Amino acid sequence: MYSEDEFLPLSTIQHFIFCKRQCALIHIEQLWSENVLTAQGRMMHENVNEEHVEKRKDIRIERGVAIHSFELGLSGKADVVEFHRLKNGTWIPFPVEYKRGKPKVDDCDKVQLCAQVICLEEMMNINIPNSAIFYGKTRRRLDVQVDESLRQKTKEAAKQLHSFIQAGVTPPPVYSPKCESCSFVDECLPKILGRKTSVKEYLRRLISQE
């Protein structure tokens, strides 16, 4: 269990899985760089996170819900929490995370959503089996089942995240195609700093060309 003083922003866990160097630049070095994509994402979240309650028959929608978990050591806001009324009259939370782009090849978005689920479960003493991510680019919801595998991955990621932030070391860049859309590409320089050619290898090539 963590104390409130040890809480990290909930979004940090998504950054950590997506790219550890990006996570370090933002949360260790306290840098921020914005491009068109991040600006669109920020505006999308600002619009969604305006706190208010909406009712639609058997669904109550709450936006910008403040959440936290002492188990994960995370706190933040859930974009949208839909409360679905069951046949027995009870209400079950159904969190919906909003993302600007499209589904990713890794589980970073799902882990962030699962962290929200764990926060709500801890706060409300309830089990939440299902959730969803709305992607702005596809204009579709991706249903996410919060199974035991995803829960364990999220808890382990949170544990590693706290150790990572506490260590305070920014890892070197590793270039991949996702770097091209990252707002930190100019600060990170993954194509240049990520090269693994050693001095010994460089000298060997230089000598062979003579």
Side-chain angles (χ1 to χ4, degrees), residues 1-60:
M1 290 291 180
Y2 296 91
S3 67
E4 287 189 40
D5 293 338
E6 296 174 301
F7 281 178
L8 296 172
L10 199 148
S11 60
T12 312
I13 198 168
Q14 194 266 4
H15 297 148
F16 180 68
I17 295 177
F18 179 74
C19 174
K20 291 180 174 58
R21 181 168 171 83
Q22 183 199 69
C23 180
L25 291 174
I26 297 173
H27 301 286
I28 294 177
E29 300 190 20
Q30 302 295 306
L31 299 179
W32 179 249
S33 182
E34 188 161 81
N35 60 13
V36 174
L37 300 181
T38 57
Q40 290 175 346
R42 176 176 52 78
M43 293 175 63
M44 181 180 185
H45 278 86
E46 287 175 354
N47 292 334
V48 172
N49 281 336
E50 293 182 0
E51 298 183 16
H52 68 273
V53 178
E54 181 181 346
K55 292 183 179 179
R56 300 177 184 174
K57 294 183 178 180
D58 291 332
I59 298 177
R60 188 176 79 250

Side-chain angles (χ1 to χ4, degrees), residues 23-207:
C23 180
L25 291 174
I26 297 173
H27 301 286
I28 294 177
E29 300 190 20
Q30 302 295 306
L31 299 179
W32 179 249
S33 182
E34 188 161 81
N35 60 13
V36 174
L37 300 181
T38 57
Q40 290 175 346
R42 176 176 52 78
M43 293 175 63
M44 181 180 185
H45 278 86
E46 287 175 354
N47 292 334
V48 172
N49 281 336
E50 293 182 0
E51 298 183 16
H52 68 273
V53 178
E54 181 181 346
K55 292 183 179 179
R56 300 177 184 174
K57 294 183 178 180
D58 291 332
I59 298 177
R60 188 176 79 250
I61 302 172
E62 297 191 15
R63 305 177 188 273
V65 181
I67 55 177
H68 65 266
S69 168
F70 288 96
E71 180 182 8
L72 301 180
L74 301 174
S75 65
K77 282 189 175 183
D79 288 336
V80 171
V81 179
E82 298 178 354
F83 290 86
H84 296 188
R85 184 163 56 188
L86 305 181
K87 291 181 179 180
N88 61 7
T90 61
W91 295 83
I92 184 75
F94 183 91
V96 182
E97 172 68 10
Y98 278 66
K99 295 294 183 184
R100 183 207 60 81
K102 59 183 180 180
K104 299 179 177 64
V105 295
D106 60 28
D107 287 336
C108 62
D109 292 344
K110 292 180 181 179
V111 167
Q112 181 183 4
L113 180 60
C114 182
Q116 294 180 18
V117 168
I118 293 174
C119 287
L120 287 165
E121 289 180 333
E122 184 179 313
M123 294 170 63
M124 304 178 67
N125 192 28
I126 193 172
N127 179 66
I128 304 172
N130 298 300
S131 55
I133 304 172
F134 177 84
Y135 285 99
K137 191 168 185 177
T138 61
R139 304 298 298 176
R140 291 180 179 275
R141 274 191 180 188
L142 174 67
D143 290 328
V144 178
Q145 183 179 6
V146 189
D147 56 21
E148 188 58 30
S149 176
L150 182 57
R151 290 174 184 274
Q152 289 303 316
K153 185 171 186 176
T154 302
K155 292 175 182 179
E156 182 60 27
K159 182 179 178 181
Q160 293 178 6
L161 170 62
H162 278 273
S163 298
F164 178 79
I165 297 297
Q166 188 174 14
V169 177
T170 300
V174 177
Y175 177 78
S176 70
K178 65 185 179 183
C179 294
E180 297 302 327
S181 60
C182 178
S183 62
F184 283 97
V185 67
D186 291 332
E187 291 84 356
C188 180
L189 301 175
K191 285 187 176 180
I192 298 175
L193 299 180
R195 292 174 181 169
K196 296 183 179 180
T197 302
S198 65
V199 174
K200 183 177 180 180
E201 177 65 16
Y202 172 77
L203 291 175
R204 187 190 68 77
R205 291 181 182 178
L206 188 64
I207 293 172

